[in-house]
Every structure is written in structure tokens, then in C-alpha cells.
Amino acid sequence: MEKTISILGSTGSIGTQSIEVANKHGIKIYALAAHSNYRLLARQCIDNKVKKACIFDEGFRDSLKAILDPYGIEVLCGMEGLCEIAGDPCSGMLLNSVVGMVGLLPTLTAIDAGKDIALANKETLVAGGKLVMDKAAVNGVKIYPVDSEHSAIFQCLQGNKRSQLKKILLTASGGPFFGKKRNELENVTIEQALSHPNWSMGNKITIDSATLMNKGLEFIEAKWLFDLDPSQIEIIVHRQSVIHSAVEYDDNSVIAQLGCPDMKIPIQYALLYPDRLECDCKPLSLTDYGTLTFDKPDTETFGCLKAAIEAIKAGGAYPCIVNGANEQAVQLFLDKKISFTRIGDIVSSVLDNFAFHDINSYEDVIKWDRKAREYVLEKA
Ligand code: NDP
Ligand code: MG
């Protein structure tokens, strides 16, 4: 049967690459969604002959409709539109590549509709990991990781017994400020923080990579995706981003997945699993690299990473609060309202300023996310 997908966040770094992968392998695209870039969204919808388009920001609805009406493409907007696409029975898998925890409700909606999900939107699992994984288990839904490290771990788990997994080795590039100490980071500019050594990505995740919050989010994402105890996750700074992560089994054998840093590989694996077809990315030449390096992460300088790990160990609403605080703090940094090092200070401070609370529902996630954002806005 012909494979059909819908993509939320189609105009972003992951979204545009996902369309290329889908086109290369003859996967039909049913619907696409973006936040406000209606021009690119419209182009993508026409080129891919989709049935539905959603623009989150209602202010662009009329402009999008004016372009798409002649093509008979239905235009939706807001959260309602994202959820309509997520749960639409006419489409198969959902690829969720929006940025931020706004992706949580569409993910839950897709799971309710029994759809498998290719998940790039890591904030979804950080803020509502238990809700998502419990619902996926009840509905028999599979979540295929798109994040390169989690895709690597997923690949290393194939053909082995999950019960004999001892731990995972989550690799981190270290970002643009590897080796720097706090006093050297005080005056970091947006441009410096946005220049990642190995990966070209959206602004939010690039800042998260510079603060190492990205690895903290991935630590939590891995805990939920692979049902791990935090003590089973070791973070290793590996500057070249060639080993995308590894797993260690009870016999002390370590199995890793390697490749050039290119998101097309994990995107394609999530969309085509278990097939491994030709991919438009550079083949890996280990001799071109010559040397691969490994270091311990510096959690003192990069407070966000420490805060995220402490948050998942503390459990309850803490991961959601840390994520909400980070989303708000990164926005303030990008708006030039706070300095780079303030992001880490603010995110770390939430752990001491919020008591323990449980998360039992989507409404709980929304509440603690909002409270975290309000706290940051007050502090900034
Ligand atoms: P980008 O900033 O490049 O793209 C974000 C996409 O989400 C855009 O299409 C944007 O639309 C859309 N979007 C944002 N908010 C909404 C909303 N409320 N409703 C609908 N669409 C929305 O981000 P990336 O592609 O880099 O990252 C996406 C996710 O994937 C993040 O969670 C990130 O952490 C994760 N990820 C990314 C990797 C990468 O290599 N880029 C690697 C691993 C994970 P618009 O263009 O209109 O603003
Ligand atoms: Mg990653």
C-alpha cells in the first residue's frame, strides 16, 4: 500500500529535509503545517499536491487561502488545525517537527488516532514524556525517533534483547563553546551562539546546543523513549559527531551507529523503518577524520545540562518546568533581553524555586509550563 505522511513544522530545518526524503522514496504527503511562513508552506503544499495545510498563526490564514484555494487545498489554522491534521484518518504516519512543547497536543491526538509517529519534536517528550509513552503503549502506537542520537540508539537496539541492555552512551558535540569557562561566556553574542560546528539547525535547538540544554533535553527524551533509569545514561562529548550514540550490553559489548552528521539518515530511518535504502548524504570516511575524541561534559559551566538531569531525577513536573523555563529564556536571549549565561542561571534556579508536583494530565503539563514561563519573565 502507498505510504502517506503528514508533517507538522514542514518549513523548518527538519521539515524541509523530511519533504526531500519523502519525495525521494515516493512517500505521499497528505498535509503540511507551519507557524507563520505561509509563502514557503504554500509552495510546499502545491509542489506536493497535499489535501490540507495548516498555518498556526491565524493572521496568515487569508494570505494562505488566497494562494491555495485555486488548488483545492483546504486551509486550517491554530492548534485546532494542527490536531485535525495529526488525527486525520486519511494520512498514515505523523512526522512532528515543530519546535517547542506546543507539539505535545498534536502528538497525543495522533496517538489517540492510533497513528505511528516520527518524532523530532523532543520538547514533547521532555514536558509530557509519561503521558505520551503511556498513551502510546495503550494504543499500540510506535514512536520512531528522528533525533540523531535516539535514532542511533534505536538502531543499536535492533536484533538484540532489550532486557540485556546495560546502559546507553549519549554523544554530544559540545557545541560552539566547548572548553570555555563561564567568564569567557559572559559576552557571547547571538551570532556566536548560533554558529554550530557540525549541524545546521533551527535557532532554538542551536542555542540549546550552545548551552548544552539540548543534551539535557535528549537525556530526558532517551529516558522516556527507551524506558531507562537516569543512571543508565552516560553523556560523552564527542566533538566530531560521527558516532551518533552507542549502547552497552550486559557482556560489556558496545554497539554504536556512525555516519556523517546529516539528519537525512535518521529522518529516513524513521520514515522507512526497517528498510535501509539509498540516502542523499555523504558516505562516512573514517580516514578523512583520522581521530575521534571523547571527553566528559562540563556540567558546572553548562548549568542547563545539570539542571535537566536533576529535573528528570527529581521527576514529577520538574522536567516540564525546566523545559518551559528554557523555552522562555532562549526566546529572551534571541530577543536580546538577557545575556547568554543568564539562560543557564535562570533554568538552574527553577529547581530551587518550585516544589514537587505530579503530572497526571495534559492540563497539568500546560499549567506547569505556563508557571515556568511566568517565573522566567518575572526574573528576567
Ligand atoms: P526550525 O526552527 O528550523 O523549524 C521549526 C518548524 O516548526 C517550522 O516549520 C515552524 O514554522 C514550525 N512551528 C513552530 N511553531 C509552530 C506552531 N505553533 N505550529 C505549527 N508549526 C510551528 O526547527 P528545527 O527543524 O531545527 O527543529 C524542529 C524540532 O526538531 C525541534 O524540537 C528540535 O529540537 C528537533 N530537532 C532538530 C534537529 C535539527 O537538525 N534541526 C535535530 C534533532 C532534533 P515557521 O517556519 O512558520 O516558523
Ligand atoms: Mg540530537
Side-chain angles (χ1 to χ4, degrees):
M1 212 176 83
E2 193 177 48
K3 205 167 192 165
T4 313
I5 59 165
S6 293
I7 303 174
L8 308 182
S10 63
T11 51
S13 162
I14 295 288
T16 49
Q17 295 181 82
S18 299
I19 292 178
E20 284 177 44
V21 170
N23 289 163
K24 180 178 172 75
H25 295 290
I27 299 171
K28 235 183 127 24
I29 302 176
Y30 178 76
L32 294 173
H35 180 273
S36 43
N37 188 353
Y38 75 91
R39 285 198 177 87
L40 179 55
L41 177 63
R43 183 75 264 143
Q44 294 176 330
C45 288
I46 294 165
D47 289 350
N48 290 283
K49 301 189 172 63
V50 309
K51 296 282 185 267
K52 293 182 178 181
C54 172
I55 191 83
F56 188 82
D57 185 333
E58 306 213 358
F60 296 102
R61 178 197 206 130
D62 291 346
S63 309
L64 186 63
K65 256 180 94 56
I67 307 175
L68 295 184
D69 273 354
Y71 294 88
I73 298 171
E74 186 181 348
V75 171
L76 309 164
C77 59
M79 182 56 85
E80 213 175 298
L82 293 183
C83 290
E84 180 172 333
I85 289 176
D88 197 315
C90 296
S91 171
M93 183 184 249
L94 177 74
L95 193 150
N96 189 348
S97 60
V98 303
V99 59
M101 94 92 183
V102 68
L104 179 59
L105 193 58
T107 293
L108 293 173
T109 306
I111 299 174
D112 274 332
K115 279 175 203 233
D116 289 345
I117 298 172
L119 191 64
N121 176 226
K122 63 188 83 181
E123 296 89 352
T124 287
L125 280 178
V126 174
K130 190 165 163 25
L131 291 183
V132 171
M133 297 315 288
D134 286 354
K135 204 184 253 300
V138 168
N139 287 272
V141 158
K142 294 203 178 57
I143 298 183
Y144 296 101
V146 169
D147 212 344
S148 58
E149 295 77 1
H150 305 74
S151 172
I153 294 159
F154 179 59
Q155 295 180 51
C156 297
L157 291 172
Q158 302 302 312
N160 293 290
K161 286 194 177 156
R162 175 63 187 74
S163 58
Q164 293 164 0
L165 174 72
K166 190 155 73 172
K167 64 184 234 193
I168 65 164
L169 311 177
L170 187 68
T171 52
S173 72
F177 306 129
F178 172 74
K180 297 231 182 305
K181 291 292 169 202
R182 189 190 161 94
N183 60 346
E184 298 169 272
L185 297 177
E186 301 286 354
N187 299 315
V188 157
T189 63
I190 294 177
E191 293 68 31
Q192 286 168 325
L194 282 179
S195 61
H196 194 279
N198 303 341
W199 300 95
S200 160
M201 311 176 283
N203 283 356
K204 194 258 176 183
I205 181 173
T206 308
I207 300 299
D208 285 346
S209 299
T211 61
L212 293 203
M213 184 61 176
N214 184 48
K215 213 44 60 179
L217 299 177
E218 291 183 356
F219 187 103
I220 299 172
E221 184 186 11
K223 183 245 164 347
W224 290 117
L225 278 174
F226 306 112
D227 190 21
L228 300 165
D229 186 84
S231 63
Q232 291 175 287
I233 308 173
E234 181 181 355
I235 296 175
I236 294 173
V237 178
H238 164 49
R239 295 293 286 152
Q240 299 77 22
S241 299
V242 164
I243 298 180
H244 297 309
S245 278
V247 306
E248 185 178 318
Y249 288 97
D250 286 340
D251 62 356
N252 290 339
S253 189
V254 175
I255 298 180
Q257 187 258 338
L258 284 72
C260 286
D262 190 320
M263 288 307 295
K264 288 233 179 84
I265 300 175
I267 292 170
Q268 178 168 313
Y269 194 67
L271 292 183
L272 298 182
Y273 175 85
D275 282 320
R276 292 185 176 277
L277 305 183
E278 189 189 278
C279 181
D280 290 333
C281 64
K282 230 173 90 185
L284 173 65
S285 163
L286 282 173
T287 49
D288 280 357
Y289 280 91
T291 309
L292 299 180
T293 60
F294 306 97
D295 293 274
K296 284 195 162 65
D298 175 357
T299 49
E300 290 313 314
T301 304
F302 298 95
C304 280
L305 175 57
K306 191 177 180 179
I309 294 172
E310 281 175 7
I312 189 65
K313 286 184 179 164
Y318 283 117
C320 169
I321 293 169
V322 160
N323 178 69
N326 181 63
E327 286 195 29
Q328 188 64 69
V330 170
Q331 193 55 54
L332 289 173
F333 172 69
L334 289 170
D335 292 343
K336 300 196 172 161
K337 301 256 171 59
I338 60 170
S339 70
F340 181 76
T341 47
R342 277 296 283 160
I343 302 173
D345 293 345
I346 292 177
V347 170
S348 305
S349 73
V350 300
L351 292 161
D352 295 328
N353 285 281
F354 283 82
F356 180 88
H357 295 277
D358 235 335
I359 292 230
N360 296 308
S361 63
Y362 173 71
E363 288 69 32
D364 288 343
V365 176
I366 295 298
K367 178 168 97 182
W368 291 111
D369 177 73
R370 194 191 66 240
K371 284 188 182 289
R373 288 167 197 264
E374 286 167 2
Y375 166 85
V376 173
L377 290 172
E378 257 168 47
K379 274 215 110 153

